[in-house]
């Protein structure tokens, strides 16, 4: 359906791709992955509107190919009083109304021939999009996503996560040949994420989905397109198999690289000895031997293998603390209440101690973000913050914390740094190097903006962190780096998250929203609850063991212990079979 050959594209300040190629074919559910800021969304823009972009190379899209699109940031027209059913069925209802209008006109018209032709064209168009069953199909999709209860609700009353799912359902029912989705999982709660998984897996057409969500990656796709370092790799198979393949390749390439380096160093020694001899002995044969060795050394250097594509730079996230606190209550919430059009939370009571790591869990639209924002502002009578607590805040609404008109460097001027060189050195740990530091924040990707927020949180050296969906938009490498930072942090964390892995792997307990209030739940019970709805038995423990073995392999590679790495790869393969 779609074929990309040797495509290159760049902005004035940044080269994105160099001669990349890939295809999209029938039956493929393709995950489009790669580090934040590498140009995934830009490549989607090129596929959606090739005429608008000046790229080099070839892009072939079959003339009859239709493409549907689900945006990363869907815009809802809140002025339209449309129900969910009417919104999803819009293209069907439009033709249906046209057919009704033609029939009404035929009842009074003297010249019926052109109207009959018009009527037949409308019927053909209705049949072409499966109009005969559209009501039944809408009901099936809503049921599949567990959203039947929203059928008659106004679209303007939906949460962001609910609207995202409704948008996915609408595109799927339009039945285009290819559907492109840009991070459809962002901000979805557990139930809606599971619904998205079911929708993806039941879809019969071609899908190209940008996602960093490990749950979806492990359960939904049969092809990977990996964009990294201006290059693309294609892999037919599941994400978990792709990662395993990358690790095996990395071991093989690093073993060859070490052997080549040893050979080069051995020849360096021979050449040094020959040079020393040639200094005291001017025989022509000595000079020829030296020249021959140097030429051979140059050939060794030239054939040195390329650095593995699998060696991806991971950000170095580190939450430092200026003032560690003893075991004391740092946040106390007493009889908190919040309402907008309706009551969201009532009689909420909890406290966070100075080393607690706690996740707030609840469905979309239940007041989690409002609660976290009120704690940060600390102007609510129901909320007490310890006098020695220094609080830092990461917002899912990135504009709350970041100024889009600032450059990256300018954003850190008031963050305790004295010089631009200090800022450059600091933010390089978070992947911001070279000319990108002079870019306006408004031009960054969602993942880059979240990474910048994490850098600001870290620079604050706060002892209480309020994190609202910190993994949203982050690539998988950054998510794992964030988990490590949370694990080693010595202060208190209150985090809103719908990421299974971050909650289970990094939190001490959870605060569950239900019946408009909040209750504390131990991690063991929380695991049992989500296993019942989302996972096979012991899935998360196996996933955690898998990650532990992968880290051991990385350490073995660092120590050039290739035999141990290969033994661990066999252990990893057995864990992958269980998943």
């Amino acid at each position: 359906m779609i074929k990309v050959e040797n495509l290159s594209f760049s902005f004035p300040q940044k080269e994105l791709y160099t001669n990349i190629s890939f295809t999209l074919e029938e039956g493929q559910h393709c995950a489009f992955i790669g580090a934040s800021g590498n140009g995934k969304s830009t490549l989607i823009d090129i596929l959606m509107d090739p005429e608008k972009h000046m790229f080099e190379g070839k892009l072939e899209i079959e003339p009859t190919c239709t493409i549907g699109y689900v945006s990363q940031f869907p815009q809802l027209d809140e002025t339209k009083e449309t129900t969910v059913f009417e919104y999803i069925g819009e293209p069907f209802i439009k033709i249906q109304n046209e057919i009704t209008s033609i029939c009404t006109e035929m009842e009074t018209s003297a010249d019926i021939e052109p109207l009959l032709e018009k009527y037949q064209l409308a019927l053909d168009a209705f049949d072409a999009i499966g109009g005969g069953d559209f009501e039944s199909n809408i009901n099936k999709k809503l049921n599949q996503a567990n959203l039947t209860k929203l059928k008659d609700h106004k679209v303007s009353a939906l949460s962001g996560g609910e609207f995202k799912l409704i948008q996915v359902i609408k595109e799927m029912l339009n039945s285009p040949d290819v559907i492109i989705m840009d991070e459809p999982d962002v901000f979805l709660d557990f139930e809606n994420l599971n619904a998205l998984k079911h929708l993806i897996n039941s879809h019969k057409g071609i899908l190209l989905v940008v996602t960093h969500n490990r749950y979806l990656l492990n359960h939904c796709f049969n092809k990977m397109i990996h964009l990294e370092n201006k290059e693309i790799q294609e892999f037919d198979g599941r994400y978990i198999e792709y990662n395993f393949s990358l690790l095996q390749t990395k071991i093989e390439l690093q073993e060859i690289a070490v052997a080549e380096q040893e050979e080069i160093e051995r020849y360096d020694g021979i050449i040094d000895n020959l040079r020393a001899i040639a200094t005291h002995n001017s025989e022509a044969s000595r000079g020829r031997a030296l020249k021959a060795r140097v030429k051979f050394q140059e050939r060794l250097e030239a054939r040195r293998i390329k650095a593995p594509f699998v060696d991806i730079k991971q950000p170095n996230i580190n939450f430092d603390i200026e003032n560690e606190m003893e075991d004391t209550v740092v946040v106390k919430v007493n009889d908190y209440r919040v309402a907008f059009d309706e009551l969201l939370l009532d009689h909420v009571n909890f406290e966070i101690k100075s080393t607690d790591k706690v996740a707030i869990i609840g469905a979309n639209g239940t007041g989690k973000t409002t609660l976290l924002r009120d704690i940060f502002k600390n102007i609510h009578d129901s909320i007490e913050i310890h006098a020695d607590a220094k609080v830092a805040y990461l917002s899912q609404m990135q504009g709350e914390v970041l100024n889009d008109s600032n450059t990256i460097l300018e954003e850190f001027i008031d963050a305790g740094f004295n010089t631009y060189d200090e800022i450059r050195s600091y933010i390089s740990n978070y992947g911001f190097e070279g000319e990108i530091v002079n870019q306006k924040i408004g031009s960054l990707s969602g993942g880059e903006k979240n990474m910048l927020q994490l850098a600001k949180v870290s620079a604050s050296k706060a002892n209480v962190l309020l994190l609202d969906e910190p993994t949203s938009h982050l690539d998988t490498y950054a998510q794992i780096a964030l988990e490590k930072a949370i694990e080693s942090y010595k202060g208190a964390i209150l985090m809103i998250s719908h990421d299974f892995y971050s909650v289970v792997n990094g939190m001490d307990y959870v605060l569950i929203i239900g019946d408009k209030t909040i209750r504390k739940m131990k991690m063991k019970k929380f695991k049992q609850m989500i296993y019942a709805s989302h996972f096979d038995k012991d899935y998360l423990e196996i996933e955690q063991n898998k990650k532990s073995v992968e880290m051991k392999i990385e350490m073995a590679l660092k120590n050039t212990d290739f035999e141990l790495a290969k033994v661990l790869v066999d252990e990893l393969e057995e864990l992958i079979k269980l998943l």
Side-chain angles (χ1 to χ4, degrees), residues 416-449:
F417 296 93
N418 296 315
T419 66
Y420 277 136
D421 284 344
E422 279 184 42
I423 297 172
R424 284 177 187 274
S425 175
Y426 173 73
I427 62 177
S428 67
N429 292 313
Y430 293 82
F432 299 102
E433 296 176 307
E435 287 305 307
I436 193 172
V437 299
N438 296 311
Q439 274 186 230
K440 297 286 187 185
I441 288 170
S443 70
L444 302 179
S445 71
E448 287 172 317
K449 287 181 180 178

Side-chain angles (χ1 to χ4, degrees), residues 127-262:
D127 288 340
I129 61 172
D133 299 318
F134 88 91
E135 291 186 43
S136 169
N137 290 336
I138 290 174
N139 289 330
K140 282 178 187 174
K141 284 290 182 191
L142 286 172
N143 184 54
Q144 198 172 50
N146 198 27
L147 294 176
T148 303
K149 60 186 180 292
L150 298 179
K151 179 180 173 181
D152 298 317
H153 285 216
K154 298 294 184 187
V155 171
S156 56
L158 300 179
S159 71
E162 288 167 341
F163 181 60
K164 205 63 160 309
L165 279 184
I166 295 302
Q167 201 187 16
V168 170
I169 289 172
K170 183 174 184 175
E171 287 302 325
M172 286 183 170
L173 285 172
N174 285 340
S175 301
D177 297 304
V178 180
I179 297 179
I180 297 175
M181 297 195 260
D182 195 352
E183 297 199 49
D185 51 89
V186 171
F187 305 138
L188 293 189
D189 61 39
F190 290 162
E191 295 303 323
N192 286 338
L193 185 66
N194 219 28
L196 178 61
K197 182 191 85 168
H198 291 314
L199 288 170
I200 289 173
N201 287 340
S202 66
H203 186 66
K204 303 301 182 189
I206 302 170
L207 292 174
L208 177 64
V209 183
V210 176
T211 183
H212 305 301
N213 187 282
R214 287 170 282 179
Y215 180 56
L216 292 183
L217 284 171
N218 284 344
H219 291 89
C220 292
F221 302 100
N222 56 21
K223 177 172 179 170
M224 302 293 129
I225 292 180
H226 188 169
L227 175 62
E228 206 77 45
N229 307 325
K230 306 173 194 173
E231 299 177 17
I232 266 185
Q233 284 190 165
E234 286 184 279
F235 181 84
D236 289 321
R238 299 189 307 150
Y239 176 73
I240 202 164
E241 294 158 351
Y242 175 57
N243 269 349
F244 183 65
S245 170
L246 286 182
L247 202 51
Q248 286 180 308
T249 304
K250 187 169 187 175
I251 292 169
E252 291 166 10
L253 291 180
Q254 288 196 202
E255 191 169 15
I256 294 168
V258 167
E260 284 186 351
Q261 183 59 34
E262 287 173 353

Side-chain angles (χ1 to χ4, degrees), residues 12-192:
Q13 72 276 22
K14 186 177 182 180
E15 186 178 15
L16 286 182
Y17 330 116
T18 308
N19 295 326
I20 62 171
S21 301
F22 65 90
T23 59
L24 288 176
E25 299 171 6
E26 291 290 345
Q28 289 182 336
H29 285 184
C30 179
F32 190 12
I33 61 175
S36 299
N38 271 359
K40 297 183 296 298
S41 294
T42 302
L43 187 52
I44 283 175
D45 289 342
I46 292 172
L47 294 178
M48 294 297 299
D49 191 355
E51 300 299 320
K52 188 178 174 183
H53 298 83
M54 295 289 291
F55 59 86
E56 294 178 11
K58 189 187 290 185
L59 170 57
E60 294 179 7
I61 301 176
E62 284 196 12
T64 58
C65 177
T66 52
I67 300 178
Y69 178 58
V70 177
S71 167
Q72 184 177 359
F73 303 107
Q75 295 298 312
L76 176 62
D77 184 356
E78 295 184 357
T79 63
K80 289 179 79 172
E81 286 296 302
T82 309
T83 67
V84 166
F85 180 85
E86 289 165 344
Y87 175 79
I88 296 172
E90 187 178 8
F92 304 98
I93 294 168
K94 186 178 178 182
I95 299 177
Q96 199 176 50
N97 289 342
E98 186 184 339
I99 291 169
T100 304
S101 174
I102 294 168
C103 289
T104 304
E105 198 177 342
M106 281 195 293
E107 289 174 5
T108 57
S109 176
D111 187 8
I112 205 166
E113 284 299 321
L115 288 175
L116 281 172
E117 187 178 344
K118 199 174 172 184
Y119 176 73
Q120 189 58 52
L121 287 171
L123 279 180
D124 291 345
F126 196 59
D127 288 340
I129 61 172
D133 299 318
F134 88 91
E135 291 186 43
S136 169
N137 290 336
I138 290 174
N139 289 330
K140 282 178 187 174
K141 284 290 182 191
L142 286 172
N143 184 54
Q144 198 172 50
N146 198 27
L147 294 176
T148 303
K149 60 186 180 292
L150 298 179
K151 179 180 173 181
D152 298 317
H153 285 216
K154 298 294 184 187
V155 171
S156 56
L158 300 179
S159 71
E162 288 167 341
F163 181 60
K164 205 63 160 309
L165 279 184
I166 295 302
Q167 201 187 16
V168 170
I169 289 172
K170 183 174 184 175
E171 287 302 325
M172 286 183 170
L173 285 172
N174 285 340
S175 301
D177 297 304
V178 180
I179 297 179
I180 297 175
M181 297 195 260
D182 195 352
E183 297 199 49
D185 51 89
V186 171
F187 305 138
L188 293 189
D189 61 39
F190 290 162
E191 295 303 323
N192 286 338

Side-chain angles (χ1 to χ4, degrees), residues 365-383:
T366 51
K368 303 183 298 296
T369 291
T370 303
L371 169 60
L372 206 68
R373 193 182 284 123
D374 281 347
I375 293 172
F376 177 62
K377 289 178 179 177
N378 193 22
I379 55 174
H380 207 288
D381 291 341
S382 303
I383 297 167

